[in-house]
Amino acid sequence: MATFSFFSSGPGDARGRRSKGCLTCRKRKVKCDERRPTCERCEKGYHHCLGYDQPLIFVNKGVGVAPPPQGPRNRKLSPDTGSSGSASDSETSFAIITRPSSSVGYVKPMLKLDGFKDDIVISHLITKLAAVGHQFSKGTDAPTLAGVLTASNGKSVAYIAGLSLAEAFFGRIHRVQGMLDHSAALYGRALRSLREDLVLLDRGAGLSRAYVNLWSTIFLGMYEMVSNCGSSNWLEHSRGVSALTHALGPHAFQNPSANTILSFNRSYMAIGHIAQRKRCFLGEPEWQTIPWALQETERPIGSKIIDVLCEIPGLMAERDMLAGRAAKVNDVEAAMEALQDRVLDAIRRLGEYRWQWEAAYPRASREKLVNMATSVSLDEHGRPLFDTVLDFDDMERAIDVVYFNTIRLMLYGLSDDTGLSELLMASSGGGCLYQGPSSNALLLPGQGTNVSNALEICRTVDYFMQHSRDSQGTLVLLFPLRVAYGHLRRVPLVSPWIRRILVDLSTSKGFQIGEHILNMGMQTTDSP
């Protein structure tokens, strides 16, 4: 099986130069004003300016292929029929280089892939995030992620925003600086256009435009998580996603395509509210029932678990109010008792959902020994941190378990903050008595402590990072590991390991926010 790598041609390229103009003007054979990062001529003519990227060469590293030769000769590879390349330093080009078994050295490139760059990076993004689905569902204007990123939507704000994310994601994983620079230009263009679209939305634009603007905001928020241009920029976009979602109302998300958009972003919006410690509208009853009211199949248990996550910001906000404004509350004791009841109710319902999960997915998880050759669950001396790690039947079940433990940990913190004893909280296991042994190698409601729940999150890291959908796994792990870290600060070896893992997630999986998430001041009811 052939693999592919990318080489960027630098300023020392020996090829002749035809123009310093942008790629779009060169393809259109018109004079470019050479404004950067995108030219004014393209902008005024409503053309998609491809910018001034460094060339990229797509090289097949199949069995028996020698390393690419060094020096200027390597840079002469081109899809032209001539002996030297014709692409300029500013052109982005892809070439597949093959080597027949009967020949010695490299042969000329056979296929030029310049025109497929967008398709390549978008396909990479969708594949790694497993964000696929039907483009539209009957009776709705709500496109899925894959639907928004089709070439037919190439002039839309959402497509440009998605392309900026796709290029940043691809460029960071493969360390292609030119692509990262171009993604930043696309981001700026999409942000400006989105602001204009939101003005139109305020003037009564249609539902279809509202859904597309929602996707645009989602893409821009994910771009910030990839590039981490500012530690709080992702939070600004989270606020934008929340505002647009709330403005649409719960009935707008009943169709399967629209419901997918909501499900895709509920945890993102809830985490944004947790970071701000402000009540989230997603915790209100109508937002936990109406969007699923027309579905013929039973709602997934994992979705119900996220319901509890969406309620936590409100519990945190109420706790802060009682702590900071006690003198202005007529009956602080009664208000605290009401808050305690809400916390216990959240614990009870979370326990019920976990028992339902146990019954619905027997033997969905198992323990396995640490594989020293592939595991990332090793200390700085290369020794296993855990006796065993956790394996799962599929990604969805692993996500369910990680979020259950994360929410459980935050409820531990809230129970301490509101004066509930750990014993009382442990007794609220969803109304069921433990009658083990469990068919899954997992803690059940009422079992374990905050430390053991946090360690269970850590024992899923191998599964997420070695899965084919590892980038989706990275997005899932970032917040749970942040919460787990707050409860494992005093556990030797494990807390520094979490720091290393978050840095590794940022460098190898494309989300640079991992390097800084422990220092963002996200108050997530950490253990002292």
Side-chain angles (χ1 to χ4, degrees), residues 179-253:
M179 190 170 283
L180 291 173
D181 295 340
H182 188 244
S183 72
L186 289 173
Y187 172 87
R189 177 183 170 189
L191 188 59
R192 291 190 297 271
S193 298
L194 176 61
R195 288 169 180 163
E196 296 172 2
D197 271 13
L198 291 177
V199 171
L200 294 175
L201 182 63
D202 289 340
R203 295 174 182 173
L207 189 61
S208 176
R209 177 67 66 85
Y211 287 127
V212 172
N213 285 337
L214 184 55
W215 271 122
S216 300
T217 311
I218 292 165
F219 291 145
L220 294 177
M222 293 182 69
Y223 172 92
E224 293 290 353
M225 298 179 75
V226 170
S227 64
N228 197 41
C229 296
S231 61
S232 62
N233 287 5
W234 72 272
L235 188 56
E236 292 298 323
H237 289 299
S238 175
R239 293 190 187 106
V241 172
S242 295
L244 290 170
T245 302
H246 189 249
L248 282 166
H251 288 90
F253 296 95

Side-chain angles (χ1 to χ4, degrees), residues 5 55 123 148 180 199 221 225 257 333 383 400 434 482 497:
S5 63
S123 177
V148 168
L180 291 173
V199 171
M225 298 179 75
S257 289
E333 185 175 349
R383 296 171 299 203
D400 293 344
Y434 172 61
R482 169 66 180 87
W497 170 78

Side-chain angles (χ1 to χ4, degrees), residues 486-506:
H487 294 265
L488 296 173
R489 287 175 176 169
R490 298 179 182 177
V491 178
L493 301 179
V494 177
S495 56
W497 170 78
I498 293 178
R499 285 189 171 274
R500 293 198 306 271
I501 284 295
L502 287 170
V503 171
D504 186 41
L505 289 174
S506 69

Side-chain angles (χ1 to χ4, degrees), residues 361-384:
Y361 306 112
R363 295 175 293 279
S365 69
R366 63 206 61 83
E367 292 179 299
K368 68 176 186 178
L369 295 176
V370 174
N371 185 330
M372 299 292 292
T374 61
S375 177
V376 297
S377 300
L378 307 175
D379 66 17
E380 57 186 3
H381 302 294
R383 296 171 299 203

Side-chain angles (χ1 to χ4, degrees), residues 136-460:
F136 294 92
S137 290
K138 185 177 180 180
T140 183
D141 293 318
T144 64
L145 184 150
V148 168
L149 295 180
T150 56
S152 61
N153 296 322
K155 294 183 179 180
S156 72
V157 179
Y159 182 90
I160 297 169
L163 183 59
S164 72
L165 166 62
E167 287 195 9
F169 184 62
F170 189 98
R172 186 157 301 284
I173 289 179
H174 296 284
R175 300 179 183 178
V176 184
Q177 186 59 45
M179 190 170 283
L180 291 173
D181 295 340
H182 188 244
S183 72
L186 289 173
Y187 172 87
R189 177 183 170 189
L191 188 59
R192 291 190 297 271
S193 298
L194 176 61
R195 288 169 180 163
E196 296 172 2
D197 271 13
L198 291 177
V199 171
L200 294 175
L201 182 63
D202 289 340
R203 295 174 182 173
L207 189 61
S208 176
R209 177 67 66 85
Y211 287 127
V212 172
N213 285 337
L214 184 55
W215 271 122
S216 300
T217 311
I218 292 165
F219 291 145
L220 294 177
M222 293 182 69
Y223 172 92
E224 293 290 353
M225 298 179 75
V226 170
S227 64
N228 197 41
C229 296
S231 61
S232 62
N233 287 5
W234 72 272
L235 188 56
E236 292 298 323
H237 289 299
S238 175
R239 293 190 187 106
V241 172
S242 295
L244 290 170
T245 302
H246 189 249
L248 282 166
H251 288 90
F253 296 95
Q254 290 184 321
N255 185 278
S257 289
N259 190 267
T260 298
I261 300 176
L262 179 64
S263 299
F264 187 79
N265 290 287
R266 281 209 308 158
S267 59
Y268 174 59
M269 289 185 280
I271 291 168
H273 283 81
I274 288 170
Q276 302 170 80
R277 298 180 76 92
K278 293 183 178 180
R279 188 181 307 277
C280 180
F281 66 94
L282 294 171
E284 298 169 2
E286 58 268 29
W287 279 96
Q288 298 188 355
T289 54
I290 293 174
W292 293 270
L294 302 183
Q295 290 189 4
E296 297 179 357
T297 57
E298 186 176 355
R299 187 179 173 195
I301 298 170
S303 179
K304 298 177 183 178
I305 290 175
I306 298 299
D307 284 350
V308 185
L309 177 68
C310 294
E311 295 170 23
I312 285 180
L315 298 175
M316 297 169 80
E318 192 169 339
R319 173 66 186 94
D320 291 347
M321 181 199 68
L322 291 175
R325 305 176 184 175
K328 298 181 181 181
V329 178
N330 293 331
D331 193 341
V332 176
E333 185 175 349
M336 182 61 73
E337 288 180 358
L339 177 58
Q340 289 176 336
D341 289 341
R342 291 181 60 203
V343 171
L344 287 174
D345 181 65
I347 294 169
R348 178 190 58 77
R349 284 185 292 110
L350 181 66
E352 287 180 352
Y353 297 148
R354 178 63 180 83
W355 283 112
Q356 292 173 19
W357 189 94
E358 191 70 22
Y361 306 112
R363 295 175 293 279
S365 69
R366 63 206 61 83
E367 292 179 299
K368 68 176 186 178
L369 295 176
V370 174
N371 185 330
M372 299 292 292
T374 61
S375 177
V376 297
S377 300
L378 307 175
D379 66 17
E380 57 186 3
H381 302 294
R383 296 171 299 203
L385 283 168
F386 317 111
D387 294 334
T388 60
V389 292
L390 293 172
D391 191 30
F392 297 87
D393 284 348
D394 53 60
M395 175 74 82
E396 284 66 33
R397 303 292 75 77
I399 293 172
D400 293 344
V401 168
V402 164
Y403 271 116
F404 171 81
N405 280 298
T406 302
I407 298 166
R408 180 77 171 174
L409 287 175
M410 286 189 285
L411 291 175
Y412 266 115
L414 280 166
S415 68
D416 290 340
D417 290 344
T418 56
L420 293 170
S421 69
E422 185 174 314
L423 179 62
L424 178 60
M425 187 181 127
S427 68
S428 303
C432 297
L433 296 176
Y434 172 61
Q435 297 178 352
S438 168
S439 62
N440 288 294
L442 303 167
L443 294 169
L444 290 168
Q447 289 185 320
T449 64
N450 60 334
V451 171
S452 57
N453 277 265
L455 289 174
E456 194 162 89
I457 293 174
C458 296
R459 292 170 63 215
T460 67

